[in-house]
């Protein structure tokens, strides 16, 4: 891990940014941490079983940087649960919709009737698309919104302002 100076004169600790849920982090450090997690996730996606397990381990640093970014904005870290819960619930609902459609239209799937298959899958794809848009909006909100000036209940401003 590299150390670099911050505005307040103390050393910057990447382990704290990626593993701790306490304190605040600035936008630039959030994006660097997010890109590290994204890059590792893409690389690990090519490794069959071990990659899946290690990708699951990336949930922790993703949550850590998200919580600290929310703290920097003056919000509770529990808001980070919104995209995860939405993705989980939406994924289950979408899978149930596809499963129900397949169960109710078995003949269409056996005959490979494209119109019926698409009418079965399209609502689930719409749900997945909506989840993706909400998650992207959340990411942009926490990644682009400026810090609350001065110290807050989560710690001093990481910019030193």
């Amino acid at each position: 891990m590299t150390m670099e100076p911050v505005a307040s004169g103390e050393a910057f600790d990447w382990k704290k940014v990626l593993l701790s849920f306490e304190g605040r982090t600035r936008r630039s450090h959030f994006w660097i941490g997010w890109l590290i997690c994204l890059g590792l996730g893409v690389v690990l996606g090519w490794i069959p079983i071990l990659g899946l397990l290690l990708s699951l381990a990336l949930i922790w640093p993703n949550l850590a940087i998200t919580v600290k970014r929310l703290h920097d904005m003056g919000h509770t870290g529990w808001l980070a649960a919104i995209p995860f819960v939405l993705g989980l619930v939406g994924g289950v609902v979408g899978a149930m919709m596809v499963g129900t459609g397949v169960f109710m239209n078995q003949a269409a799937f056996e005959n490979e009737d494209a119109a019926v298959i698409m009418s079965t899958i399209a609502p689930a794809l719409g749900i997945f698309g909506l989840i993706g848009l909400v998650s992207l909006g959340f990411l942009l909100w926490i990644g682009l919104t400026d810090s609350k000036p001065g110290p807050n209940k989560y710690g001093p401003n990481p910019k030193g302002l």
Side-chain angles (χ1 to χ4, degrees):
M1 300 291 162
T2 61
M3 306 293 265
E4 54 185 66
V6 292
S8 62
E10 60 188 59
F12 185 75
D13 185 7
W14 281 105
K15 287 191 290 187
K16 182 179 177 189
V17 168
L18 292 171
L19 301 175
S20 169
F21 287 84
E22 295 180 12
R24 298 167 65 173
T25 193
R26 23 181 345 162
R27 286 179 291 187
S28 59
H29 298 146
F30 166 79
W31 283 115
I32 291 168
W34 186 84
L35 288 171
I36 289 170
C37 291
L38 176 68
L40 284 172
V42 168
V43 170
L44 292 173
W46 290 94
I47 304 170
I49 295 172
L50 180 63
L52 174 67
L53 296 174
L54 293 174
S55 292
L56 289 173
L58 287 176
I59 292 172
W60 186 273
N62 266 312
L63 280 174
I65 61 173
T66 301
V67 166
K68 281 195 288 294
R69 186 68 200 116
L70 286 163
H71 286 173
D72 191 42
M73 297 163 49
H75 299 291
T76 178
W78 284 104
L79 290 177
I82 292 172
F84 286 100
V85 170
L86 182 64
L88 182 64
V89 170
V92 168
V93 169
M96 288 174 57
M97 290 172 69
V98 170
T100 302
V102 169
F103 182 72
M104 300 300 283
N105 296 316
Q106 287 179 354
F109 280 87
E110 289 170 3
N111 297 331
E112 297 181 9
D113 185 356
V116 175
I117 293 172
M118 279 312 297
S119 68
T120 302
I121 296 174
L125 292 176
I127 287 176
F128 295 142
L130 184 61
I131 292 168
L133 286 175
V134 170
S135 296
L136 177 63
F138 184 83
L139 174 68
L140 293 175
W141 174 61
I142 63 172
L144 299 177
T145 303
D146 200 10
S147 306
K148 291 284 184 190
N152 64 20
K153 66 181 180 179
Y154 302 106
N157 189 319
K159 292 181 183 178
L161 301 175

